[in-house]
Amino acid sequence: MANSLRKPAVLDPMYYPVVALVIVLIACVELSDAVTAVDVYRLVQYDISGVPFGSRLSTLNHHAGSSLFASGSSSDLSRTVLILPVRELNLTLITEYIEQKKLLGGLLLLLPPKFSPENIDSTFGADKDIDSLRNKLVELEWLLTHSNIPYPVYFAFEDDNINAVLAEVRRNDASGQPATATTGGYKLVVAASDPKRIASPNIANIQGWLPGLKVDGDSNQLPTIAIVASYDTFGAAPALSVGSDSNGSGVVALLEIARLFSALYSNPKTRGRYNLLFGLTSGGPYNYNGTQKWLRSFDQRLRESIDYAICLNSVGSLGNQLHLHVSKPPENAYIQQIFQGFSAVAEELGLQVGLKHKKINISNSRVAWEHEQFSRLRVTAATLSELSTAPELLESTGGLADNRHFTNEASIIRSVKLVAESLARHIYSQEQKSISIFADDSSLAVNPSYIRSWLDLLSTTPRVAPFLSKNDPLIKALEKELADHTAEVNVQHETLDGTFAFYDSTSAKLHIYQVASVTFDLLLLLVLGSYLITLFTFLFITTRGLDDLISLFRRPPSSRKVKTA
Amino acid sequence: MTVFHFFNCAILTFGPHAVYYSATPLSEYDTLWTSIRAAVVYLVTALVKLVCLATFLNVSESDSFDPYQELLKALFGFIDVAGLYFALTQLTHRNISQNHKFQAVGLGWAFADSVLHRLAPLWVGARGLEFTWDHILQGLEANANLVFSISLAALGSLMWLRKNKPKTLIPIIYACAGIVATMPSITSYLRRGLGWHLPKVVGFELFSSLLIAFISWQLFVACQRPSN
């Protein structure tokens, strides 16, 4: 019994929940006491066949700086986070800085609020600066996504809070007192875990099937026309890559075409003798990897039944020029037939359609256009795009500069009319007549509000494929929309080609703290110490007298004397 | 570095109490027990006050100054006075002189107030990365509060414990005690009614605390004279 009594209870188990609660409370309280918390979006981090690109780090805990040359060339910026507004950014300087692989604590790039995907309602007006700013952003994006940057790079949008911080940081820098641990200033903290490689990037292809009218007794399979658009994007900041034009416009056009033809095909009298296949493919920026996997999954008979495929890519920006990109020689009869169909309708719409031929190099893994994936499998295909030349890998894939403001509904409507009209004339063999099936006031008119709502949705939804989950709301929404217009919808889940690897943590919260320096605290300690000593002396003298105070210091020797005496 | 700052603020908030105890004859007469009991009385008083405030006061949605509510709050402020009365007269103190008794009670009172009202914000706020002057100002406020508490205890001991005081001084004593007891309402009025910022309010508190301390000291001295 004595034994059990003596047994030391370090902590009664009853108190464990209490202790845990206290710890949780303390942890909660410590998270949110910053002067400002800002949403930040990290620069994409990815590998192409093992070669690293983008920002390789995510955690940030350094003082703020405002200029690459804050205090002479001697200063070391490896413990400083530079806050640079893109508006005033000097591209050549930053290019040099990144190419020379100089170290930085981190980089925070401030984008103008107009480029925020959430800011789709505001109008730009006729602003000349916007165009140059947009070009600058495109260049910056290209630079950042094609360099290996060994420090965290974040994007944020300018707002009053962050501008105030920046102004103060600049003032400190100008006065020759850049923020370091000893002088105080602002500290930028992003508490993020280390970016992890996404194990198997998922890509989902959504396919809708609209069967044509089969005449009884006809054993032959009906020919198929495919309309395809890739819906995913790639950009410097995956959480901001909404790609309104590339390729949001293509997706919107495809959905509208599907809607129009579903109206036609719902009535047996107007159902055409062609099957229509609608494909929303993923993996577009990565050599149309999703398209390739989608086509491979077709069975031979279906693939051979495809008469031709029209791929829609970037059809939403202002301008009267569209290009039909093909891989087969332009003299090819099928190509000629498609092109003539398009140009006849284009003429009526006041558009110009040019034919552009680019040969496929089978040994080169680069696939610049979606139709090239079809052509590699010997299916006639063409891409309709406003781009006149083939983009490089990861170029024009819906990055930072591609948002709702630069995408025009009227252009999309025109493109929809062009494709739908020429398809309809082909399906109903009306090529020679200039009839208008989808006339503006008819029941089959293009619906501008439908186009606007889908364009707005896509312009606010980042769609970088590796960061979309299998059951992402966007994929579900696209699937449901196609299901409304077509008879049969399938979603095909595939894994992205292994040469591309992506890392997570695309967005985070940046906390900006105003910190005091160590020297300030040391000084404060000195002041407080002298205050307390003064207080002590004052109280001692007033209550006990000066002599007592003096004797306080003399007592030890005197008491010894008393003892010895 | 931030723990350092917390340490600094804690010194500013609680240091003067310790200094007061060790520098004055309080330490020689071992009045710690009295201070502790005063602190306990403070805790009970604070609890009672909290219950009263929670029962009778509306939670104001706006941060504006509502005279009626503030009047009620000021009335509840006199619960403090009642607690102090209890601590000074009802608690059986060991034979320490009245001089030391009120100091010990005031000290315990102020210390308990500081622990209750300032320790938690300090622990939470001053250790964070973010730097603000608030915690230093709060420390200064704690100093002013110490002076107020001791002054109020001195005035209380004059009111309730000293029998033969000059008749002319009695209204002054009561007026001063009234002012000190309503000091929280006055500062609240300055802050919300007049929109003063914290540094200004703290400055006012420090200044008025020194003034009150001086007056109560003079009163104490004046009351002591006839007995001698």
Side-chain angles (χ1 to χ4, degrees):
Chain A
M1 194 179 157
N3 204 9
S4 70
L5 272 176
R6 209 180 294 156
K7 194 176 159 190
V10 179
L11 199 58
D12 200 307
M14 211 179 86
Y15 295 118
Y16 282 143
V18 179
V19 172
L21 188 70
V22 167
I23 291 171
V24 165
L25 275 179
I26 290 173
C28 289
V29 161
E30 275 193 81
L31 278 176
S32 54
D33 58 341
V35 62
T36 319
V38 189
D39 283 313
V40 287
Y41 309 94
R42 197 165 77 93
L43 174 65
V44 68
Q45 176 181 357
Y46 67 105
D47 303 338
I48 301 182
S49 30
V51 183
F53 289 104
S55 165
R56 309 306 292 183
L57 278 179
S58 64
T59 47
L60 196 67
N61 190 352
H62 290 303
H63 282 85
S66 66
S67 156
L68 280 170
F69 310 102
S71 51
S73 52
S74 62
S75 80
D76 174 25
L77 289 173
S78 65
R79 298 183 60 77
T80 305
V81 184
L82 282 187
I83 308 178
L84 299 175
V86 172
R87 216 190 279 277
E88 298 149 25
L89 191 67
N90 187 335
L91 264 180
T92 45
L93 275 185
I94 190 96
T95 312
E96 232 171 71
Y97 205 87
I98 287 173
E99 277 171 0
Q100 289 174 2
K101 301 222 174 281
K102 287 190 195 164
L103 260 187
L104 268 180
L107 190 58
L108 177 66
L109 293 162
L110 298 184
L111 302 169
K114 283 172 181 171
F115 283 88
S116 166
E118 279 151 29
N119 203 3
I120 58 168
D121 293 327
S122 76
T123 46
F124 272 159
D127 200 343
K128 262 188 218 162
D129 296 343
I130 283 299
D131 275 336
S132 67
L133 196 58
R134 191 182 177 202
N135 292 337
K136 202 176 186 180
L137 257 180
V138 171
E139 268 182 69
L140 179 71
E141 189 165 28
W142 181 260
L143 169 74
L144 290 175
T145 49
H146 289 78
S147 325
N148 176 7
I149 302 173
Y151 42 83
V153 179
Y154 280 98
F155 294 94
F157 290 102
E158 290 173 11
D159 64 7
D160 294 342
N161 286 333
I162 209 157
N163 280 340
V165 170
L166 180 62
E168 191 136 331
V169 170
R170 277 189 175 154
R171 215 176 310 133
N172 288 345
D173 280 356
S175 65
Q177 281 192 319
T180 57
T182 49
T183 55
Y186 284 99
K187 198 162 203 184
L188 308 187
V189 178
V190 173
S193 54
D194 275 343
K196 279 185 203 66
R197 192 183 154 149
I198 294 171
S200 52
N202 176 59
I203 49 177
N205 300 313
I206 307 155
Q207 151 193 335
W209 181 258
L210 203 57
L213 186 69
K214 233 175 183 179
V215 180
D216 289 334
D218 189 356
S219 60
N220 284 341
Q221 206 174 355
L222 285 178
T224 303
I225 296 175
I227 296 123
V228 191
S230 93
Y231 67 86
D232 69 326
T233 59
F234 176 89
L240 296 176
S241 302
V242 293
S244 296
D245 192 18
S246 308
N247 188 18
S249 59
V251 173
V252 174
L254 182 138
L255 290 176
E256 176 66 5
I257 293 165
R259 192 186 69 81
L260 293 174
F261 276 96
S262 82
L264 277 173
Y265 272 49
S266 61
N267 187 346
K269 283 181 189 165
T270 52
R271 191 186 278 189
R273 294 287 173 90
Y274 282 87
N275 298 320
L276 289 180
L277 175 63
F278 296 96
L280 288 170
T281 57
S282 186
Y286 324 109
N287 293 328
Y288 294 97
N289 196 254
T291 316
Q292 182 187 20
K293 296 199 160 148
W294 183 51
L295 291 177
R296 292 262 166 85
S297 74
F298 287 177
D299 66 69
Q300 186 71 20
R301 290 202 319 167
L302 173 62
R303 209 187 298 161
E304 277 171 4
S305 81
I306 297 179
D307 210 13
Y308 61 89
I310 301 290
C311 308
L312 303 171
N313 179 11
S314 312
V315 291
S317 84
L318 224 50
N320 278 334
Q321 186 89 27
L322 281 171
H323 304 277
L324 199 65
H325 298 272
V326 292
S327 313
K328 286 186 180 173
E331 301 80 42
N332 182 295
Y334 289 104
I335 299 294
Q336 277 301 319
Q337 182 199 343
I338 299 169
F339 177 63
Q340 274 159 16
F342 270 90
S343 48
V345 181
E347 226 167 83
E348 291 161 26
L349 292 168
L351 269 171
Q352 275 186 306
V353 176
L355 193 63
K356 292 256 174 175
H357 173 227
K358 175 179 165 290
K359 265 192 180 172
I360 300 177
N361 184 355
I362 298 285
S363 61
N364 189 345
S365 65
R366 171 66 188 145
V367 180
W369 297 111
E370 188 161 21
H371 73 259
E372 292 181 10
Q373 290 290 12
F374 288 86
S375 300
R376 282 174 188 231
L377 295 171
R378 310 200 177 285
V379 177
T380 307
T383 297
L384 185 71
S385 170
E386 78 220 357
L387 304 174
S388 58
T389 50
E392 294 289 315
L393 180 64
L394 303 181
E395 191 193 4
S396 297
T397 49
L400 286 175
D402 186 356
N403 67 27
R404 180 71 178 82
H405 300 292
F406 303 105
T407 311
N408 190 287
E409 279 160 47
S411 301
I412 299 180
I413 292 173
R414 225 167 34 187
S415 306
V416 168
K417 277 185 189 163
L418 172 65
V419 178
E421 199 74 47
S422 60
L423 273 181
R425 286 186 196 177
H426 178 70
I427 289 169
Y428 303 111
S429 313
Q430 304 286 327
E431 273 105 338
Q432 307 313 320
K433 300 165 199 166
S434 66
I435 52 155
S436 193
I437 296 165
F438 305 103
D440 271 338
D441 299 323
S442 67
S443 59
L444 287 171
V446 175
N447 185 347
S449 61
Y450 180 84
I451 285 179
R452 190 180 314 123
S453 59
W454 267 101
L455 190 59
D456 285 352
L457 174 72
L458 291 170
S459 301
T460 48
T461 320
R463 311 184 292 278
V464 179
F467 303 108
L468 291 177
S469 68
K470 256 183 188 173
N471 294 314
D472 198 89
L474 177 79
I475 295 173
K476 290 278 163 212
L478 289 173
E479 181 189 354
K480 189 179 168 298
E481 194 59 33
L482 266 190
D484 283 351
H485 302 321
T486 58
E488 202 185 315
V489 170
N490 293 314
V491 181
Q492 178 199 23
H493 292 287
E494 291 279 351
T495 314
L496 184 66
D497 184 7
T499 50
F500 294 91
F502 289 84
Y503 296 81
D504 62 0
S505 78
T506 57
S507 59
K509 266 261 190 274
L510 169 75
H511 295 270
I512 304 178
Y513 297 97
Q514 192 170 26
V515 292
S517 61
V518 176
T519 36
F520 173 81
D521 272 328
L522 271 173
L523 267 176
L524 186 64
L525 184 66
L526 273 180
V527 170
L528 291 178
S530 43
Y531 165 62
L532 290 186
I533 288 167
T534 319
L535 190 67
F536 184 87
T537 327
F538 173 73
L539 287 172
F540 209 100
I541 291 170
T542 48
T543 55
R544 300 195 217 180
L546 186 61
D547 295 339
D548 270 8
L549 184 69
I550 294 163
S551 68
L552 198 68
F553 297 101
R554 285 199 187 145
R555 197 173 288 160
S558 65
S559 67
R560 207 173 296 152
K561 264 177 205 165
V562 171
K563 265 182 190 171
T564 49
Chain B
M1 187 187 118
T2 49
V3 178
F4 191 11
H5 189 65
F6 166 73
F7 182 64
N8 276 340
C9 291
I11 286 179
L12 183 59
T13 313
F14 302 109
H17 301 80
V19 165
Y20 193 93
Y21 183 77
S22 54
T24 55
L26 291 180
S27 48
E28 276 178 23
Y29 292 94
D30 195 23
T31 53
L32 192 62
W33 187 234
T34 308
S35 294
I36 290 172
R37 281 196 297 187
V40 172
V41 172
Y42 176 84
L43 290 181
V44 174
T45 313
L47 197 69
V48 171
K49 206 167 129 185
L50 217 66
V51 170
C52 288
L53 286 176
T55 317
F56 295 109
L57 224 61
N58 298 332
V59 180
S60 65
E61 274 98 39
S62 61
D63 209 30
S64 62
F65 187 83
D66 182 358
Y68 172 69
Q69 299 275 315
E70 288 300 323
L71 196 68
L72 216 57
K73 247 191 235 177
L75 276 179
F76 289 133
F78 281 95
I79 294 174
D80 275 341
V81 180
L84 208 57
Y85 173 77
F86 182 80
L88 277 171
T89 58
Q90 301 308 112
L91 289 183
T92 51
H93 298 279
R94 283 203 330 210
N95 344 326
I96 51 173
S97 73
Q98 284 191 3
N99 264 358
H100 297 149
K101 191 202 279 180
F102 86 80
Q103 288 183 43
V105 168
L107 188 62
W109 196 264
F111 187 73
D113 178 76
S114 285
V115 169
L116 207 62
H117 285 120
R118 295 174 222 281
L119 187 60
L122 205 60
W123 178 254
V124 170
R127 284 187 324 136
L129 269 175
E130 173 72 14
F131 171 79
T132 56
W133 286 97
D134 289 8
H135 301 293
I136 297 172
L137 291 174
Q138 266 186 22
L140 290 175
E141 217 175 5
N143 288 3
N145 196 49
L146 170 65
V147 179
F148 275 132
S149 297
I150 292 173
S151 305
L152 189 60
L155 294 168
S157 90
L158 282 181
M159 283 192 288
W160 303 312
L161 298 177
R162 194 169 293 274
K163 298 289 176 266
N164 52 345
K165 50 203 168 210
K167 286 272 182 292
T168 48
L169 289 181
I170 291 174
I172 306 179
I173 293 172
Y174 277 84
C176 280
I179 291 174
V180 178
T182 49
M183 198 44 94
S185 299
I186 295 172
T187 50
S188 152
Y189 172 69
L190 289 179
R191 202 175 297 182
R192 294 207 231 141
L194 298 184
W196 282 19
H197 291 294
L198 196 57
K200 216 171 164 186
V201 173
V202 171
F204 169 77
E205 276 179 275
L206 283 175
F207 175 72
S208 56
S209 71
L210 288 178
L211 197 68
I212 291 285
F214 181 74
I215 293 171
S216 44
W217 180 45
Q218 290 301 321
L219 284 172
F220 205 83
V221 170
C223 288
Q224 227 153 17
R225 218 167 283 143
S227 68
N228 289 345

